[in-house]
Amino acid sequence: MSVIELDDVVKRYESGAQTVTALKGVDFHADRGEMVTIIGPSGSGKSTMLNMIGLLDTPTEGTVHLDGRNVTGFTEDELTEERRTTLGFVFQDFHLLPMLSAVENVELPSVWDTSVDRRDRAIDLLKRVGLGDRLDHTPDELSGGQQQRVAIARSLINGPDILLMDEPTGNLDQDTGRTILEEVTRLKEEENIAVVAVTHDEQMLDYTDRTVRIVDGVIQS
Ligand SMILES: Nc1ncnc2c1ncn2[C@@H]1O[C@H](COP(=O)(O)OP(=O)(O)OP(=O)(O)O)[C@@H](O)[C@H]1O
Ligand SMILES: [Mg+2]
């Protein structure tokens, strides 16, 4: 069973008198242990698609299934809960809080969790991305690649089923980008999660299990 599935998803944006149909009947799925990369020209609908998969926006038509559950009619509260427990997000510009240390940034999405082992899990994740000796450093004391590794550790703190990455190597040089992608590949297997990435970065295709091309809101087969 796929952890995420879009069926015949249409997304229309209304702005003033104009309607833009950003997704024109998109089918998509991703399975555990698989990295799927969505690639396509600027304006083709990649971010719109990632927003549907990440439950950050809702389709105009069509359905979204997460772990086999139809989440299409979910309320905003239910979607928020679903995002917190099922999804991890990594962005191009890392989105770390500057006043917090690496370990505090990683712990942040789990502050609601009263279990005692949050700090241990955060430290474990940071060690697994090679930052065991940078736990107390703040983002400005870390390189770009190290900051992105903190962001990846943070995305995994709640044990998601799906990791979504929007241009995760966009702000990194090529070698650092490769190191990050190698780490994501390893974590994907260790945690048995699905990874869905959006990119312009052709080198990401070396690490992906499957590539989905989108042009003008339509998936190319
Ligand atoms: N909030 C919005 N209101 C109106 N139109 C929008 C909105 N968001 C996106 N669009 C339009 O939908 C289409 C798809 O946009 P989207 O952001 O998904 O493209 P993209 O593939 O992510 O592009 P890029 O590679 O430049 O990030 C574009 O034509 C865009 O202008
Ligand atoms: Mg985009």
Side-chain angles (χ1 to χ4, degrees):
M1 186 186 70
S2 298
V3 283
I4 177 74
E5 197 172 319
L6 305 184
D7 288 302
D8 210 9
V9 165
V10 173
K11 181 63 183 181
R12 278 189 289 271
Y13 293 111
E14 316 278 351
S15 42
Q18 209 193 353
T19 301
V20 175
T21 308
L23 300 176
K24 300 172 179 168
V26 163
D27 294 322
F28 175 84
H29 70 95
D31 299 343
R32 282 184 185 279
E34 168 180 61
M35 174 165 169
V36 185
T37 301
I38 301 169
I39 198 159
S42 179
S44 58
K46 300 184 298 297
S47 293
T48 304
M49 214 174 137
L50 208 68
N51 288 345
M52 300 295 138
I53 297 168
L55 310 183
L56 296 166
D57 201 356
T58 51
T60 313
E61 291 169 27
T63 54
V64 179
H65 283 83
L66 212 61
D67 282 329
R69 283 167 295 119
N70 187 343
V71 299
T72 318
F74 273 27
T75 64
E76 198 46 57
D77 283 353
E78 288 171 325
L79 290 173
T80 303
E81 177 66 9
E82 205 58 54
R83 274 196 298 273
R84 188 166 66 70
T85 54
T86 312
L87 296 156
F89 295 88
V90 172
F91 303 95
Q92 177 169 358
D93 52 3
F94 323 138
H95 288 197
L96 300 177
L97 290 188
M99 69 295 268
L100 298 184
S101 69
V103 74
E104 288 165 345
N105 264 289
V106 173
E107 269 187 286
L108 193 60
S110 67
V111 285
W112 52 273
D113 183 354
T114 52
S115 71
V116 287
D117 63 351
R118 295 190 288 120
R119 175 61 56 108
D120 291 345
R121 165 112 172 126
I123 293 171
D124 174 58
L125 282 165
L126 283 168
K127 284 182 179 163
R128 284 163 62 192
V129 295
L131 292 177
D133 57 351
R134 294 288 188 277
L135 300 176
D136 297 321
H137 287 233
T138 51
D140 67 331
E141 297 168 337
L142 297 168
S143 71
Q146 289 171 335
Q147 289 180 57
Q148 192 58 304
R149 283 190 243 154
V150 174
I152 289 164
R154 180 187 55 186
S155 75
L156 298 175
I157 190 76
N158 288 333
D161 300 320
I162 308 159
L163 177 57
L164 299 180
M165 306 197 298
D166 200 349
E167 300 274 1
T169 58
N171 280 334
L172 303 174
D173 64 69
Q174 197 160 338
D175 284 349
T176 309
R178 285 203 171 271
T179 311
I180 292 293
L181 291 169
E182 276 159 22
E183 258 149 30
V184 167
T185 304
R186 187 168 45 75
L187 290 164
K188 174 197 80 175
E189 273 147 30
E190 287 172 6
E191 305 274 313
N192 194 30
I193 53 175
V195 178
V196 181
V198 163
T199 192
H200 289 100
D201 179 4
E202 292 280 334
Q203 80 170 350
M204 197 180 277
L205 302 187
D206 297 345
Y207 296 86
T208 197
D209 298 302
R210 194 152 57 81
T211 305
V212 169
R213 288 180 192 276
I214 183 167
V215 176
D216 197 18
V218 180
I219 303 290
Q220 312 294 294
S221 48

